[in-house]
Amino acid sequence: MSDPMIKRLSSNDFNVEKFVKELSQHCVGGLELQQKRVEIGALAEETNSLLKKNVFHNYMLFIETAKEISHLEGEMYQLSHLLTEQRSLLATLAHSSIVEGVAPLNTSVNNTTVEQDKETQTRKQLSDIMQKMEGCVPLLDSSRVFIMEGDLTELDPLDNKPLRRVHAYLLSDMLILACPIQGDQGRYQMNTCYDNLTSLAVVNIRHIAAAFKLLAFPDTRVFQAPSASVKKEWLDKFEEIKKSSKEQNSSLPKPAQADSSGNPFEDEDEEEEEEEEESRASAVSPSPFIPEWLLEVP
């Protein structure tokens, strides 16, 4: 095998079509082409054998490299854990006082003020939704919280073809779907309102990119998010709402279980019946026989 051919085949700017054209032009007859083909095949076999030998000779190096990489991963994990602990320690020191009676470094905000700010922000968000949407249901409720919103594409549940674009609003107790009004930017027409999220099943769809399914008997609707990350956010928010609802229901006090008989005076009735039976038995039982000689005793 000639060195010029090896250098040419191993060059970075090697072009297969150009190489074949040059061979067909310079070779005379089919025998010479067959010879070139045999040479190239032998070169390929030689290259494969060299690769196998290199892998065999460097096998231990590969293993050692893998061990070093694993060791470095462990050290990086330990460093990350230490940094997390240091950050939490610094945060604790920043919010606590070293000397008793001295105010902490960061003064805490009044909880009442924070709650009022949150309530004001929530009311503003709900008011904005009502202003943007025609036919919207009343949303102003002290217990209702805005979670997220976003554009979705509704798909046909049978053939998965796009039907229309919808804008979804997820609140703490309901899901609102609205359709954009043509010619009126930023305004929507209310389409559907699911006011019971506990009965609404959200199912992930794997064979359609960034799609999920809403099951609300008897309807089945399929929606596609702009990306997989947005879909994951929607699914996570639905799951958080359901978990929160379950925790609230479990924290409610359960009513005391009544007695199995349902009669609180059952014990007293049983005692009275037993006393009556004893008195009847004593009345019915004959008096004991007294002999005459015992009566004559003074």
Side-chain angles (χ1 to χ4, degrees), residues 21-37:
K21 287 181 181 179
E22 291 180 356
L23 280 180
S24 60
Q25 290 176 0
H26 291 85
C27 293
V28 179
L31 293 176
E32 193 171 354
L33 286 174
Q34 288 288 340
Q35 184 179 358
K36 293 291 183 182
R37 179 175 177 274

Side-chain angles (χ1 to χ4, degrees), residues 131-132 134 165 179-189:
Q131 292 176 2
K132 293 179 182 178
E134 294 185 3
R165 185 173 68 89
C179 298
I181 299 176
Q182 295 183 357
D184 196 350
Q185 185 70 22
R187 292 191 60 81
Y188 302 93
Q189 177 67 42

Side-chain angles (χ1 to χ4, degrees), residues 215-234:
L215 302 177
F217 184 81
D219 297 332
T220 299
R221 304 180 70 174
V222 179
F223 297 95
Q224 188 175 33
S227 63
S229 60
V230 176
K231 181 190 78 168
K232 185 178 183 302
E233 186 178 2
W234 279 103

Side-chain angles (χ1 to χ4, degrees), residues 56 144 161 198 237 270:
F56 178 76
R144 184 170 292 126
K161 292 183 178 179
T198 56
K237 294 299 182 183
E270 290 180 355

Side-chain angles (χ1 to χ4, degrees), residues 85-274:
E85 289 183 350
Q86 293 294 330
R87 184 176 61 182
S88 61
L89 179 60
L90 290 174
T92 304
L93 291 175
H95 290 83
S96 62
S97 175
I98 299 176
V99 182
E100 186 177 359
V102 179
L105 298 178
N106 293 334
T107 57
S108 60
V109 184
N110 193 342
N111 293 332
T112 306
T113 306
V114 174
E115 292 296 332
Q116 290 178 354
D117 293 341
K118 288 183 179 179
E119 185 177 354
T120 303
Q121 183 180 3
T122 300
R123 291 181 65 87
K124 183 179 182 302
Q125 290 172 337
L126 297 178
S127 299
D128 292 341
I129 295 174
M130 295 176 64
Q131 292 176 2
K132 293 179 182 178
M133 191 184 310
E134 294 185 3
C136 182
V137 296
L139 299 178
L140 296 179
D141 190 343
S142 59
S143 61
R144 184 170 292 126
V145 180
F146 174 81
I147 304 298
M148 67 176 295
E149 65 173 303
D151 290 329
L152 299 172
T153 302
E154 185 171 4
L155 307 179
D156 191 298
L158 298 179
D159 55 10
N160 300 325
K161 292 183 178 179
L163 295 178
R164 56 179 171 268
R165 185 173 68 89
V166 298
H167 195 79
Y169 295 94
L170 180 60
L171 309 180
S172 58
D173 59 345
M174 67 172 58
L175 173 66
I176 301 175
L177 301 176
C179 298
I181 299 176
Q182 295 183 357
D184 196 350
Q185 185 70 22
R187 292 191 60 81
Y188 302 93
Q189 177 67 42
M190 180 174 171
N191 178 268
T192 311
C193 177
Y194 299 100
D195 56 358
N196 187 6
L197 295 182
T198 56
S199 62
L200 184 66
V202 184
V203 182
N204 183 24
I205 300 178
R206 300 183 182 276
H207 63 278
I208 304 176
F212 60 92
K213 186 183 297 184
L214 292 182
L215 302 177
F217 184 81
D219 297 332
T220 299
R221 304 180 70 174
V222 179
F223 297 95
Q224 188 175 33
S227 63
S229 60
V230 176
K231 181 190 78 168
K232 185 178 183 302
E233 186 178 2
W234 279 103
L235 296 179
D236 292 343
K237 294 299 182 183
F238 275 111
E239 188 66 23
E240 289 176 4
I241 291 174
K242 289 194 174 183
K243 286 183 179 179
S244 176
S245 178
K246 288 181 180 179
E247 291 176 357
Q248 290 178 359
N249 293 333
S250 61
S251 62
L252 294 176
K254 297 181 180 179
Q257 294 182 352
D259 191 11
S260 59
S261 62
N263 185 5
F265 303 102
E266 183 178 3
D267 295 338
E268 296 180 0
D269 294 342
E270 290 180 355
E271 292 178 358
E272 292 178 357
E273 290 178 358
E274 290 178 357

Side-chain angles (χ1 to χ4, degrees), residues 45-94:
E45 292 180 359
E46 184 180 355
T47 304
N48 290 332
S49 62
L50 288 175
L51 287 174
K52 291 179 181 178
K53 289 180 180 179
N54 288 331
V55 171
F56 178 76
H57 289 303
N58 298 322
Y59 181 71
M60 295 304 299
L61 292 177
F62 292 154
I63 295 177
E64 293 296 332
T65 304
K67 289 181 179 179
E68 289 293 332
I69 292 173
S70 178
H71 182 66
L72 288 175
E73 287 181 354
E75 290 184 350
M76 292 298 295
Y77 176 77
Q78 291 179 358
L79 288 174
S80 175
H81 184 66
L82 289 174
L83 289 174
T84 304
E85 289 183 350
Q86 293 294 330
R87 184 176 61 182
S88 61
L89 179 60
L90 290 174
T92 304
L93 291 175

